[in-house]
Amino acid sequence: MHWNPLPKRLLTGTHTGSGRNDQLRMQAHKRCWRNNWVVELDIKGFFDAIDHELLMLAVRRHTQEPWVLLYIERWLKASVQMPDGILQKRDRGTPQGGVISPLLANVFLHYTLDMWMQKNYPQISFERYADDEVCHCQTQQQAEELLAALKQRFNDCRLELHPEKTRIVYCKDDDRRGDYAVTSFEFLGFTFRPRLSKNRWGKFFVNFSPAVSNKATKAIRQEVRRWKLHLRSDKALDDLARMFNAVIHGWVNYYSAFYQSALYPTLRHIDRKLMLWATRKFKRLKGHKRQAMHWLERIARLNTQLFAHWRLLYGQTGIGGAG
C-alpha cells in the first residue's frame, strides 16, 4: 500500500493513557500557567458529520492508489441497517467503532484545524487529541476573535461547533483574580479549574490545575460495577487482584498524575465492592459490613502491593490531601 507519510500526531491512537495523551495533558497544564484564557472546542456530532467529499480530498493528499481510494469510499458510503431492518444510505460521517475511523477523522481535522491554525494563528498554541481541542490565548479579545474565526472555519468545512459546549474559559488562580462566569474546562479525562494546592513550605494557594473529571470517575465506577465482584465468592482475594489489576493500574497511572486526592473516592469505591465480596466469601463477615471493611483495610496496610490502588490509598503516598 502506497501511503505518503503522515504527521507524527496522526499516527497516535485514541486510547486514554497513551504517551501522546500524557504529553498533551502536560502541555495544556503548562500553557494554562502562561496564558490567561482558553478556547474549549466541541464539534457537534463530529464523527456523524464529516463530509465525505472533503474527507476524500484530504485522503488524496496521502495516497493516489486507486484501490485504496475505492475501498475507503465504499466503506464510507456503505448503508447502515437500522434496528427495524431498513437500510439507511450515508452521505457523511464515519462509522464509530470502525477500524480506520480514528485515522480518517484525524486526517480530516489535521487539515481543518491543525494546518489552518499554524497558517493563520501561529502565535496561538493549542492541543488536539482526536476531536478534543483547546486553544490558549493571552487576552479575552484574542480568544473572542479566535472563536469567531474558528466558527467560520468549521462552517466552511461543513461542520458546526456545539453552541453550549464550545466556550471561552478564564484560567483563574491567586495571580489572576478576575470575576468571570466560566473558569473550568475538560480535556483528556481531566477537569482544569482553580484548586486549593499546597506548596513546598506548607502554604496553601489557589492554582489552576487538572484533576480527574467527574465524567471519568463515573465511567470507572460503572466499569467496576460491571465486574460484579460481590458475586465472585468462588475467587480468592489474590485471584481478583490478578484479574483486575491491569485495568486498575492503568487508571491509577493515568489519573493520579495530578491532584491525587480527587481520585481517592473512586478508588475507595473499589474497596467497597471488595468489602461486599468479603461478606459473601466468609461466613463470619456475613451481615457485618463494618467488620468486613476493617478486615480488608488490615490486609491492604499489610500488603499494599496486592491491588494496584492500595499503594496510593494505604501506602506513604496515600495521604488524603491535595495532590
PDB file of all heavy atoms in Angstrom, residues 74-96:
ATOM      1  N   ARG A  74     -15.995   3.274  -0.630  1.00  0.00           N
ATOM      2  CA  ARG A  74     -17.065   2.276  -0.470  1.00  0.00           C
ATOM      3  C   ARG A  74     -17.428   2.096   0.992  1.00  0.00           C
ATOM      4  O   ARG A  74     -18.603   1.983   1.358  1.00  0.00           O
ATOM      5  CB  ARG A  74     -16.616   0.942  -1.068  1.00  0.00           C
ATOM      6  CG  ARG A  74     -16.716   0.858  -2.577  1.00  0.00           C
ATOM      7  CD  ARG A  74     -16.307  -0.534  -3.048  1.00  0.00           C
ATOM      8  NE  ARG A  74     -16.462  -0.700  -4.484  1.00  0.00           N
ATOM      9  CZ  ARG A  74     -16.126  -1.804  -5.138  1.00  0.00           C
ATOM     10  NH1 ARG A  74     -15.631  -2.852  -4.461  1.00  0.00           N
ATOM     11  NH2 ARG A  74     -16.294  -1.893  -6.444  1.00  0.00           N
ATOM     12  N   TRP A  75     -16.419   2.038   1.808  1.00  0.00           N
ATOM     13  CA  TRP A  75     -16.640   1.832   3.251  1.00  0.00           C
ATOM     14  C   TRP A  75     -17.395   3.008   3.851  1.00  0.00           C
ATOM     15  O   TRP A  75     -18.296   2.836   4.676  1.00  0.00           O
ATOM     16  CB  TRP A  75     -15.288   1.637   3.933  1.00  0.00           C
ATOM     17  CG  TRP A  75     -15.367   1.459   5.415  1.00  0.00           C
ATOM     18  CD1 TRP A  75     -15.745   0.338   6.095  1.00  0.00           C
ATOM     19  CD2 TRP A  75     -15.059   2.443   6.403  1.00  0.00           C
ATOM     20  NE1 TRP A  75     -15.688   0.567   7.462  1.00  0.00           N
ATOM     21  CE2 TRP A  75     -15.268   1.850   7.661  1.00  0.00           C
ATOM     22  CE3 TRP A  75     -14.622   3.769   6.353  1.00  0.00           C
ATOM     23  CZ2 TRP A  75     -15.057   2.538   8.847  1.00  0.00           C
ATOM     24  CZ3 TRP A  75     -14.411   4.447   7.534  1.00  0.00           C
ATOM     25  CH2 TRP A  75     -14.638   3.830   8.766  1.00  0.00           C
ATOM     26  N   LEU A  76     -17.036   4.228   3.434  1.00  0.00           N
ATOM     27  CA  LEU A  76     -17.708   5.417   3.950  1.00  0.00           C
ATOM     28  C   LEU A  76     -19.186   5.445   3.558  1.00  0.00           C
ATOM     29  O   LEU A  76     -20.046   5.840   4.351  1.00  0.00           O
ATOM     30  CB  LEU A  76     -17.023   6.682   3.432  1.00  0.00           C
ATOM     31  CG  LEU A  76     -15.664   7.033   4.021  1.00  0.00           C
ATOM     32  CD1 LEU A  76     -15.043   8.202   3.260  1.00  0.00           C
ATOM     33  CD2 LEU A  76     -15.782   7.378   5.498  1.00  0.00           C
ATOM     34  N   LYS A  77     -19.495   5.030   2.324  1.00  0.00           N
ATOM     35  CA  LYS A  77     -20.848   5.159   1.806  1.00  0.00           C
ATOM     36  C   LYS A  77     -21.709   3.923   2.019  1.00  0.00           C
ATOM     37  O   LYS A  77     -22.879   3.915   1.628  1.00  0.00           O
ATOM     38  CB  LYS A  77     -20.780   5.485   0.308  1.00  0.00           C
ATOM     39  CG  LYS A  77     -20.173   6.855   0.019  1.00  0.00           C
ATOM     40  CD  LYS A  77     -20.167   7.170  -1.466  1.00  0.00           C
ATOM     41  CE  LYS A  77     -19.617   8.567  -1.722  1.00  0.00           C
ATOM     42  NZ  LYS A  77     -19.601   8.905  -3.159  1.00  0.00           N
ATOM     43  N   ALA A  78     -21.139   2.893   2.630  1.00  0.00           N
ATOM     44  CA  ALA A  78     -21.914   1.671   2.865  1.00  0.00           C
ATOM     45  C   ALA A  78     -23.161   1.983   3.690  1.00  0.00           C
ATOM     46  O   ALA A  78     -23.100   2.714   4.678  1.00  0.00           O
ATOM     47  CB  ALA A  78     -21.047   0.635   3.570  1.00  0.00           C
ATOM     48  N   SER A  79     -24.274   1.431   3.302  1.00  0.00           N
ATOM     49  CA  SER A  79     -25.535   1.670   4.012  1.00  0.00           C
ATOM     50  C   SER A  79     -25.496   1.063   5.413  1.00  0.00           C
ATOM     51  O   SER A  79     -24.800   0.072   5.668  1.00  0.00           O
ATOM     52  CB  SER A  79     -26.699   1.073   3.225  1.00  0.00           C
ATOM     53  OG  SER A  79     -26.793   1.663   1.944  1.00  0.00           O
ATOM     54  N   VAL A  80     -26.259   1.666   6.297  1.00  0.00           N
ATOM     55  CA  VAL A  80     -26.353   1.199   7.683  1.00  0.00           C
ATOM     56  C   VAL A  80     -27.725   0.576   7.892  1.00  0.00           C
ATOM     57  O   VAL A  80     -28.747   1.187   7.544  1.00  0.00           O
ATOM     58  CB  VAL A  80     -26.146   2.357   8.675  1.00  0.00           C
ATOM     59  CG1 VAL A  80     -26.307   1.866  10.114  1.00  0.00           C
ATOM     60  CG2 VAL A  80     -24.774   2.979   8.481  1.00  0.00           C
ATOM     61  N   GLN A  81     -27.744  -0.643   8.453  1.00  0.00           N
ATOM     62  CA  GLN A  81     -29.021  -1.299   8.726  1.00  0.00           C
ATOM     63  C   GLN A  81     -29.550  -0.865  10.085  1.00  0.00           C
ATOM     64  O   GLN A  81     -28.900  -1.057  11.110  1.00  0.00           O
ATOM     65  CB  GLN A  81     -28.874  -2.818   8.676  1.00  0.00           C
ATOM     66  CG  GLN A  81     -30.201  -3.554   8.785  1.00  0.00           C
ATOM     67  CD  GLN A  81     -30.059  -5.042   8.527  1.00  0.00           C
ATOM     68  OE1 GLN A  81     -28.970  -5.591   8.644  1.00  0.00           O
ATOM     69  NE2 GLN A  81     -31.155  -5.681   8.148  1.00  0.00           N
ATOM     70  N   MET A  82     -30.731  -0.281  10.099  1.00  0.00           N
ATOM     71  CA  MET A  82     -31.353   0.195  11.320  1.00  0.00           C
ATOM     72  C   MET A  82     -31.988  -0.970  12.077  1.00  0.00           C
ATOM     73  O   MET A  82     -32.160  -2.064  11.515  1.00  0.00           O
ATOM     74  CB  MET A  82     -32.408   1.255  10.990  1.00  0.00           C
ATOM     75  CG  MET A  82     -31.880   2.393  10.114  1.00  0.00           C
ATOM     76  SD  MET A  82     -30.414   3.197  10.813  1.00  0.00           S
ATOM     77  CE  MET A  82     -31.173   4.034  12.217  1.00  0.00           C
ATOM     78  N   PRO A  83     -32.338  -0.778  13.360  1.00  0.00           N
ATOM     79  CA  PRO A  83     -32.945  -1.865  14.155  1.00  0.00           C
ATOM     80  C   PRO A  83     -34.199  -2.468  13.518  1.00  0.00           C
ATOM     81  O   PRO A  83     -34.483  -3.649  13.715  1.00  0.00           O
ATOM     82  CB  PRO A  83     -33.281  -1.172  15.488  1.00  0.00           C
ATOM     83  CG  PRO A  83     -32.286  -0.057  15.590  1.00  0.00           C
ATOM     84  CD  PRO A  83     -32.074   0.416  14.185  1.00  0.00           C
ATOM     85  N   ASP A  84     -34.957  -1.671  12.742  1.00  0.00           N
ATOM     86  CA  ASP A  84     -36.171  -2.185  12.108  1.00  0.00           C
ATOM     87  C   ASP A  84     -35.885  -2.871  10.774  1.00  0.00           C
ATOM     88  O   ASP A  84     -36.796  -3.286  10.065  1.00  0.00           O
ATOM     89  CB  ASP A  84     -37.186  -1.068  11.907  1.00  0.00           C
ATOM     90  CG  ASP A  84     -36.629   0.088  11.067  1.00  0.00           C
ATOM     91  OD1 ASP A  84     -35.489  -0.035  10.586  1.00  0.00           O
ATOM     92  OD2 ASP A  84     -37.328   1.107  10.928  1.00  0.00           O
ATOM     93  N   GLY A  85     -34.588  -2.971  10.406  1.00  0.00           N
ATOM     94  CA  GLY A  85     -34.200  -3.673   9.194  1.00  0.00           C
ATOM     95  C   GLY A  85     -34.057  -2.798   7.967  1.00  0.00           C
ATOM     96  O   GLY A  85     -33.559  -3.243   6.925  1.00  0.00           O
ATOM     97  N   ILE A  86     -34.457  -1.537   8.075  1.00  0.00           N
ATOM     98  CA  ILE A  86     -34.362  -0.622   6.933  1.00  0.00           C
ATOM     99  C   ILE A  86     -32.909  -0.207   6.722  1.00  0.00           C
ATOM    100  O   ILE A  86     -32.194   0.105   7.675  1.00  0.00           O
ATOM    101  CB  ILE A  86     -35.252   0.619   7.158  1.00  0.00           C
ATOM    102  CG1 ILE A  86     -36.719   0.208   7.247  1.00  0.00           C
ATOM    103  CG2 ILE A  86     -35.048   1.643   6.031  1.00  0.00           C
ATOM    104  CD1 ILE A  86     -37.656   1.353   7.563  1.00  0.00           C
ATOM    105  N   LEU A  87     -32.472  -0.204   5.452  1.00  0.00           N
ATOM    106  CA  LEU A  87     -31.128   0.239   5.113  1.00  0.00           C
ATOM    107  C   LEU A  87     -31.129   1.745   4.903  1.00  0.00           C
ATOM    108  O   LEU A  87     -31.926   2.283   4.126  1.00  0.00           O
ATOM    109  CB  LEU A  87     -30.629  -0.469   3.850  1.00  0.00           C
ATOM    110  CG  LEU A  87     -30.352  -1.969   3.979  1.00  0.00           C
ATOM    111  CD1 LEU A  87     -29.922  -2.537   2.636  1.00  0.00           C
ATOM    112  CD2 LEU A  87     -29.295  -2.246   5.036  1.00  0.00           C
ATOM    113  N   GLN A  88     -30.214   2.421   5.614  1.00  0.00           N
ATOM    114  CA  GLN A  88     -30.127   3.872   5.523  1.00  0.00           C
ATOM    115  C   GLN A  88     -28.834   4.254   4.814  1.00  0.00           C
ATOM    116  O   GLN A  88     -27.739   3.878   5.234  1.00  0.00           O
ATOM    117  CB  GLN A  88     -30.168   4.499   6.925  1.00  0.00           C
ATOM    118  CG  GLN A  88     -30.205   6.015   6.925  1.00  0.00           C
ATOM    119  CD  GLN A  88     -30.273   6.565   8.336  1.00  0.00           C
ATOM    120  OE1 GLN A  88     -29.326   6.460   9.098  1.00  0.00           O
ATOM    121  NE2 GLN A  88     -31.412   7.135   8.687  1.00  0.00           N
ATOM    122  N   LYS A  89     -28.959   5.017   3.722  1.00  0.00           N
ATOM    123  CA  LYS A  89     -27.780   5.452   2.985  1.00  0.00           C
ATOM    124  C   LYS A  89     -27.089   6.592   3.728  1.00  0.00           C
ATOM    125  O   LYS A  89     -27.722   7.350   4.451  1.00  0.00           O
ATOM    126  CB  LYS A  89     -28.178   5.899   1.578  1.00  0.00           C
ATOM    127  CG  LYS A  89     -28.684   4.771   0.698  1.00  0.00           C
ATOM    128  CD  LYS A  89     -28.971   5.265  -0.716  1.00  0.00           C
ATOM    129  CE  LYS A  89     -29.417   4.120  -1.612  1.00  0.00           C
ATOM    130  NZ  LYS A  89     -29.697   4.582  -3.001  1.00  0.00           N
ATOM    131  N   ARG A  90     -25.767   6.708   3.492  1.00  0.00           N
ATOM    132  CA  ARG A  90     -25.000   7.744   4.170  1.00  0.00           C
ATOM    133  C   ARG A  90     -24.273   8.606   3.141  1.00  0.00           C
ATOM    134  O   ARG A  90     -23.706   8.095   2.185  1.00  0.00           O
ATOM    135  CB  ARG A  90     -23.968   7.137   5.117  1.00  0.00           C
ATOM    136  CG  ARG A  90     -24.548   6.373   6.289  1.00  0.00           C
ATOM    137  CD  ARG A  90     -23.463   5.893   7.203  1.00  0.00           C
ATOM    138  NE  ARG A  90     -22.418   5.174   6.460  1.00  0.00           N
ATOM    139  CZ  ARG A  90     -21.339   4.656   7.033  1.00  0.00           C
ATOM    140  NH1 ARG A  90     -21.165   4.783   8.313  1.00  0.00           N
ATOM    141  NH2 ARG A  90     -20.452   4.014   6.313  1.00  0.00           N
ATOM    142  N   ASP A  91     -24.286   9.910   3.391  1.00  0.00           N
ATOM    143  CA  ASP A  91     -23.517  10.819   2.553  1.00  0.00           C
ATOM    144  C   ASP A  91     -22.508  11.610   3.371  1.00  0.00           C
ATOM    145  O   ASP A  91     -21.801  12.464   2.866  1.00  0.00           O
ATOM    146  CB  ASP A  91     -24.438  11.780   1.796  1.00  0.00           C
ATOM    147  CG  ASP A  91     -25.283  12.630   2.740  1.00  0.00           C
ATOM    148  OD1 ASP A  91     -25.208  12.408   3.960  1.00  0.00           O
ATOM    149  OD2 ASP A  91     -26.013  13.504   2.237  1.00  0.00           O
ATOM    150  N   ARG A  92     -22.459  11.316   4.664  1.00  0.00           N
ATOM    151  CA  ARG A  92     -21.497  11.970   5.544  1.00  0.00           C
ATOM    152  C   ARG A  92     -21.262  11.104   6.774  1.00  0.00           C
ATOM    153  O   ARG A  92     -22.032  10.191   7.063  1.00  0.00           O
ATOM    154  CB  ARG A  92     -21.986  13.356   5.965  1.00  0.00           C
ATOM    155  CG  ARG A  92     -23.300  13.368   6.727  1.00  0.00           C
ATOM    156  CD  ARG A  92     -23.726  14.788   7.071  1.00  0.00           C
ATOM    157  NE  ARG A  92     -23.750  15.648   5.898  1.00  0.00           N
ATOM    158  CZ  ARG A  92     -22.939  16.691   5.729  1.00  0.00           C
ATOM    159  NH1 ARG A  92     -22.052  16.994   6.657  1.00  0.00           N
ATOM    160  NH2 ARG A  92     -23.030  17.428   4.642  1.00  0.00           N
ATOM    161  N   GLY A  93     -20.162  11.364   7.479  1.00  0.00           N
ATOM    162  CA  GLY A  93     -19.865  10.646   8.713  1.00  0.00           C
ATOM    163  C   GLY A  93     -19.012   9.408   8.498  1.00  0.00           C
ATOM    164  O   GLY A  93     -18.984   8.826   7.416  1.00  0.00           O
ATOM    165  N   THR A  94     -18.281   9.007   9.549  1.00  0.00           N
ATOM    166  CA  THR A  94     -17.524   7.763   9.539  1.00  0.00           C
ATOM    167  C   THR A  94     -18.090   6.870  10.632  1.00  0.00           C
ATOM    168  O   THR A  94     -18.404   7.354  11.725  1.00  0.00           O
ATOM    169  CB  THR A  94     -16.020   7.991   9.807  1.00  0.00           C
ATOM    170  OG1 THR A  94     -15.854   8.542  11.116  1.00  0.00           O
ATOM    171  CG2 THR A  94     -15.418   8.930   8.787  1.00  0.00           C
ATOM    172  N   PRO A  95     -18.243   5.569  10.388  1.00  0.00           N
ATOM    173  CA  PRO A  95     -18.836   4.674  11.395  1.00  0.00           C
ATOM    174  C   PRO A  95     -17.996   4.638  12.670  1.00  0.00           C
ATOM    175  O   PRO A  95     -16.816   4.311  12.628  1.00  0.00           O
ATOM    176  CB  PRO A  95     -18.833   3.308  10.701  1.00  0.00           C
ATOM    177  CG  PRO A  95     -18.707   3.606   9.249  1.00  0.00           C
ATOM    178  CD  PRO A  95     -17.895   4.854   9.146  1.00  0.00           C
ATOM    179  N   GLN A  96     -18.593   5.022  13.805  1.00  0.00           N
ATOM    180  CA  GLN A  96     -17.877   4.942  15.070  1.00  0.00           C
ATOM    181  C   GLN A  96     -17.629   3.478  15.410  1.00  0.00           C
ATOM    182  O   GLN A  96     -18.507   2.642  15.305  1.00  0.00           O
ATOM    183  CB  GLN A  96     -18.666   5.633  16.173  1.00  0.00           C
ATOM    184  CG  GLN A  96     -18.768   7.139  15.963  1.00  0.00           C
ATOM    185  CD  GLN A  96     -19.068   7.873  17.251  1.00  0.00           C
ATOM    186  OE1 GLN A  96     -18.483   7.607  18.294  1.00  0.00           O
ATOM    187  NE2 GLN A  96     -19.998   8.805  17.185  1.00  0.00           N
TER     188      GLN A  96
END
